[in-house]
């Protein structure tokens, strides 16, 4: 759900810069949903990892802030894929940390002067992120999968992901 919440940041960057999109992100994330929710679904994670690497922009080639959320999204996706391919490398909170890092980067970029940890934690975007994470964990713990189809679960997850109508860095989205 965090990847879905970060994806519009990448898509906006790609749209505004005409960044080449040789692979379809929506299809890749849909494949990950299937792998997660459909028993026996086959997904080539190594192939997907290679595709994500080609979709990752180089910050040196862009003179705009939007490249950073795009890189954070790609980093989060690569981290997730790496964890899925190697159980020893799996870190269940890594993607969350990357999402929070993206938020901190934005807050610090917009701030006038240094911010301490308390100011970062109290910032509206970080408060929303922590609330989203907490609500997501509660929802996942209470979710009854029996009798639900893949599309129903994914739709419920996406509705929850964008219930506040914004990405992790506050960009408005519509689902």
């Amino acid at each position: 759900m965090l990847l879905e919440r970060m994806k519009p940041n990448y898509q906006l960057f790609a749209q505004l810069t005409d960044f080449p999109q040789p692979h379809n992100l929506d299809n890749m994330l849909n494949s990950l949903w299937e792998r997660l929710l459909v028993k026996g679904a086959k997904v080539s994670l190594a192939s997907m990892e290679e595709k994500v690497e080609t979709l990752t922009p180089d910050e040196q080639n862009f003179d705009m802030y939007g490249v950073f959320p795009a890189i954070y999204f790609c980093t989060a996706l690569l981290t997730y894929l790496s964890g899925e391919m190697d159980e020893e490398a799996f870190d269940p909170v890594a993607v969350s940390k990357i999402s929070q890092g993206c938020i901190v980067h934005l807050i610090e970029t917009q701030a006038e002067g240094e911010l301490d940890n308390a100011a970062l934690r109290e910032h509206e975007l970080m408060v929303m992120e922590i609330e989203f994470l907490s609500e997501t964990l509660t929802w996942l713990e209470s979710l009854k999968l029996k009798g639900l189809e893949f599309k129903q679960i994914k739709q419920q997850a996406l509705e929850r992901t964008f219930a506040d109508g914004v990405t992790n860095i506050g960009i408005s989205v519509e689902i």
Side-chain angles (χ1 to χ4, degrees):
M1 291 171 63
L2 281 172
L3 292 171
E4 290 285 359
R5 193 162 188 245
M6 296 173 74
K7 181 177 68 171
N9 301 332
Y10 178 92
Q11 291 171 321
L12 180 60
F13 162 78
Q15 177 186 356
L16 292 175
T17 62
D18 292 324
F19 189 69
Q21 298 296 293
H23 309 288
N24 187 308
L25 272 179
D26 290 326
N27 289 346
M28 283 192 271
L29 287 181
N30 194 51
S31 294
L32 292 177
W33 278 105
E34 279 189 50
R35 185 174 190 277
L36 185 65
L37 298 170
V38 177
K39 188 174 181 167
K42 302 285 186 209
V43 175
S44 173
L45 297 175
S47 171
M48 193 176 293
E49 184 178 49
E50 290 175 14
K51 291 175 182 177
V52 174
E53 287 172 357
T54 67
L55 293 172
T56 305
D58 180 346
E59 70 178 277
Q60 301 299 319
N61 297 334
F62 298 92
D63 187 24
M64 65 180 293
Y65 177 79
V67 70
F68 296 106
I71 292 170
Y72 277 105
F73 168 75
C74 291
T75 303
L77 183 50
L78 288 168
T79 300
Y80 177 80
L81 292 170
S82 177
E84 286 293 304
M85 290 188 287
D86 179 5
E87 286 185 25
E88 290 183 23
F90 182 74
D91 179 357
V93 298
V95 172
S96 172
K97 289 177 185 176
I98 294 167
S99 179
Q100 290 175 35
C102 183
I103 295 166
V104 168
H105 187 255
L106 174 66
I107 295 168
E108 289 177 339
T109 300
Q110 293 177 339
E112 296 176 13
E114 293 285 320
L115 296 175
D116 62 12
N117 285 338
L120 291 170
R121 282 191 305 272
E122 293 168 4
H123 190 279
E124 178 185 8
L125 289 174
M126 191 60 75
V127 169
M128 288 173 58
E129 178 79 351
I130 300 304
E131 287 174 359
F132 171 76
L133 292 170
S134 177
E135 290 169 5
T136 298
L137 287 174
T138 301
W139 178 70
L140 289 171
E141 289 170 350
S142 67
L143 183 63
K144 306 284 189 246
L145 295 176
K146 191 171 185 168
L148 292 178
E149 292 184 20
F150 158 72
K151 288 183 180 181
Q152 292 173 303
I153 298 167
K154 181 182 173 190
Q155 184 61 36
Q156 285 181 21
L158 289 176
E159 287 171 4
R160 295 188 72 77
T161 298
F162 294 112
D164 59 1
V166 296
T167 70
N168 64 327
I169 59 170
I171 294 173
S172 294
V173 294
E174 294 179 22
I175 58 166

